[in-house]
Amino acid sequence: IEDEWPGEPSQSYWREQLDIAEEELRQGAWAACERRAAASALGDSGRARWLAARALDGAAEAGKDNRLLSRAIAAYVHLLKMNERLSDAKLLEVARRAIDRIQFRGTYLSAEPIYRLLIRRFPHDVNHRNNLTVTFLMANRADLASEVLQDTLRLWPNDRVALAHHGFVMKNHYNNLEEAVVYLQRALEDDAGPPDAARFYYHLGDALLQLGRPRDAQLVHARAAALGHFLSAAQRSLYNVPRLRGRPWWPVEDTPYAGLARALERSWRDVLREGEEAGAAYEREKEGLMERGEWSQLELFVRGREVGGRCARAPVTCALVRSEPAAAGCRRGQVKFSAMRAGTHVRAHVGPTNCRLRLHLALSNTDGTYIRVHNETRQWRVGKTFIFDDSFEHEVWHNGTGTRIVLIVDLWHPDLTAAERRQLPAI
Ligand code: LMR
Ligand code: MN
């Protein structure tokens, strides 16, 4: 029969043992099941290996135990060694569960041999190759992903998932924007891409902006917005709560944060001193958003938590931030000093989420500095605050002199409920 486990024992005693182990598994008696299935007389039984793996898996899940999880993964791999004797359906079932557990464990590269097995067994199914590509990207191995992609595109030159990932890798890992655009465009041709195509539209538009083709970028953004991938052509964050009001600039008085803004303005000299005294701890901006210049930041809070001990050296600033729970507890944002040298241009970009508003307190050297959010450009004024929504496209210039310092305070969007503030995954 097609769908039975290989190596079913010939003696009825051992078949009964396996039936009992199966019942133990159903009851959640993990240890008993695993012990029974591990009997050496059952070493060649696929059913026994499956039960042992499931039992370890169940125990790992129940006890949130990573050592047991590793043993469960090893047990699935042990079962997969019988692959030539496993039916297609069984092989797929075991491989899927093993890969799922490996991803949960975070040891992505150890899924490679399983994908290779699937690719060998199902050479006509492009999904296994594409899943291996994604796995390599999750493991931060763009080099390995690229090898798989080349192979995939040789065999399936029009596969949209492979085209899209190749474009993504060219842009984000090899900085080959021209090639990225060609491949992303082909992947998204006629807007017939996969339902999760949002981030590929995002990267196509971003690559076009970087190449100095804003009109082409705008067309891509409008297409993606019409498909519902973005909130609008200008508001292109990918982690959104769709219901929230979206506007580029927020008058401070239209937010619940006017009190905080005024308190920060009253203390701006102290805040500036703390931002300057921390000089050495600033870190270069590393997202590649700068077209030219120099820009560094000092984070005080990240994802709603203080960054190790930083508040000891910025007590006034942190006390003000802590007075507003929507600031100190904003798990989708940061609080940071941002220092930008004269001559810097930060190219047009968007933040990751519409769940925050971004307050700036300007602290020094603001002459000749500009920030465009969507279609309105403003200037900082020392000692003054403003609030904008950084999920809208924005761009910054420092055409003045000296280092401009601002304090950036991210705040939960006022339309979010208390439950959402507690439960939204951090960014
Ligand atoms: C941004 O959010 O990209 C900028 O406003 C940051 C800055 O320091 O001006
Ligand atoms: Mn920004």
Side-chain angles (χ1 to χ4, degrees):
I1 309 160
E2 163 72 19
D3 227 40
E4 277 191 348
W5 293 110
E8 189 66 3
S10 52
Q11 291 176 347
S12 64
Y13 172 78
W14 289 112
R15 287 202 301 276
E16 277 162 28
Q17 286 297 300
L18 286 173
D19 292 342
I20 296 169
E22 228 161 66
E23 184 54 31
E24 284 166 338
L25 185 74
R26 253 193 297 279
Q27 311 264 331
W30 317 118
C33 171
E34 201 247 326
R35 218 177 310 116
R36 200 177 304 278
S40 58
L42 292 169
D44 188 49
S45 157
R47 186 149 70 111
R49 292 188 192 190
W50 171 249
L51 288 168
R54 294 297 307 195
L56 287 162
D57 192 342
E61 206 164 356
K64 300 196 198 309
D65 183 329
N66 273 336
R67 267 190 44 246
L68 283 173
L69 180 55
S70 294
R71 286 183 59 205
I73 291 166
Y76 287 121
V77 169
H78 182 54
L79 170 54
L80 287 169
K81 295 218 173 82
M82 307 181 105
N83 68 80
E84 274 155 32
R85 295 155 66 199
L86 293 175
S87 69
D88 284 0
K90 287 273 188 262
L91 176 65
L92 271 174
E93 182 182 5
V94 179
R96 286 217 176 97
R97 185 63 192 171
I99 288 167
D100 178 84
R101 294 295 79 195
I102 286 169
Q103 283 174 351
F104 182 78
R105 185 82 175 83
T107 52
Y108 299 110
L109 288 180
S110 58
E112 180 185 357
I114 304 178
Y115 281 117
R116 298 283 181 204
L117 188 63
L118 291 171
I119 291 168
R120 240 183 295 129
R121 180 73 164 261
F122 306 103
H124 301 293
D125 187 344
V126 68
N127 292 318
H128 299 307
R129 290 169 192 270
N130 285 333
N131 291 340
L132 177 58
T133 297
V134 171
T135 295
F136 281 143
L137 289 175
M138 290 199 287
N140 245 319
R141 291 298 303 267
D143 54 332
L144 299 176
S146 257
E147 282 175 25
V148 180
L149 281 165
Q150 270 174 27
D151 217 40
T152 309
L153 287 169
R154 198 166 40 75
L155 297 162
W156 286 271
N158 298 316
D159 182 75
R160 287 177 185 262
V161 177
L163 289 167
H165 282 91
H166 181 75
F168 171 83
V169 169
M170 281 301 127
K171 172 176 180 279
N172 287 25
H173 296 275
Y174 296 102
N175 200 30
N176 184 343
L177 297 174
E178 283 86 3
E179 184 162 335
V181 164
V182 170
Y183 278 81
L184 288 166
Q185 274 171 338
R186 283 182 58 205
L188 301 172
E189 213 155 64
D190 308 319
D191 292 328
D196 62 344
R199 67 192 183 97
F200 296 114
Y201 282 93
Y202 173 95
H203 286 296
L204 175 55
D206 188 47
L208 288 165
L209 285 176
Q210 288 191 60
L211 286 169
R213 296 168 57 184
R215 274 194 303 270
D216 292 332
Q218 170 58 26
L219 291 174
V220 169
H221 294 152
R223 270 164 61 199
L227 290 165
H229 292 314
F230 300 148
L231 293 163
S232 72
Q235 195 181 14
R236 302 193 293 277
S237 49
L238 295 178
Y239 298 88
N240 301 315
V241 172
R243 168 193 99 244
L244 309 181
R245 282 174 292 161
R247 54 198 282 197
W249 289 98
W250 283 71
V252 172
E253 309 301 331
D254 286 5
T255 74
Y257 309 123
L260 173 67
R262 299 303 159 238
L264 285 165
E265 289 178 350
R266 280 195 298 274
S267 299
W268 74 268
R269 285 191 176 79
D270 291 328
V271 176
L272 171 60
R273 185 178 37 76
E274 291 181 346
E276 283 179 335
E277 280 171 4
Y282 281 70
E283 284 173 14
R284 290 274 176 88
E285 191 276 333
K286 41 190 179 290
E287 284 173 71
L289 295 176
M290 257 183 315
E291 194 232 330
R292 58 185 148 78
E294 208 175 309
W295 178 22
S296 54
Q297 307 190 334
L298 177 69
E299 293 172 331
L300 299 177
F301 291 80
V302 171
R303 298 168 166 227
R305 284 167 169 273
E306 183 193 341
V307 179
R310 294 249 165 102
C311 283
R313 289 200 271 154
V316 175
T317 308
C318 285
L320 286 160
V321 169
R322 287 215 166 91
S323 74
E324 173 52 71
C330 182
R331 288 179 303 97
R332 290 195 156 192
Q334 308 103 45
V335 175
K336 58 195 178 189
F337 288 104
S338 171
M340 194 176 285
R341 286 268 191 96
T344 300
H345 174 215
V346 179
R347 59 184 178 77
H349 67 284
V350 299
T353 175
N354 78 334
C355 293
R356 69 190 189 205
L357 299 181
R358 182 156 268 198
L359 178 150
H360 280 204
L361 171 66
L363 297 169
S364 71
N365 294 311
T366 56
D367 288 352
T369 60
Y370 305 88
I371 175 166
R372 174 180 68 82
V373 183
H374 189 30
N375 46 25
E376 189 181 335
T377 301
R378 296 196 186 176
Q379 289 189 268
W380 288 271
R381 300 279 178 230
V382 166
K384 298 293 176 212
T385 55
F386 55 55
I387 294 180
F388 66 101
D389 180 337
D390 81 322
S391 61
F392 284 86
E393 181 178 295
H394 56 287
E395 184 172 7
V396 173
W397 298 262
H398 187 345
N399 298 335
T401 54
T403 297
R404 183 228 62 176
I405 301 179
V406 302
L407 176 73
I408 298 176
V409 181
D410 288 336
L411 301 146
W412 282 123
H413 191 293
D415 295 348
L416 287 169
T417 65
E420 285 168 329
R421 294 173 200 212
R422 271 196 313 275
Q423 286 158 14
L424 281 167
I427 291 177

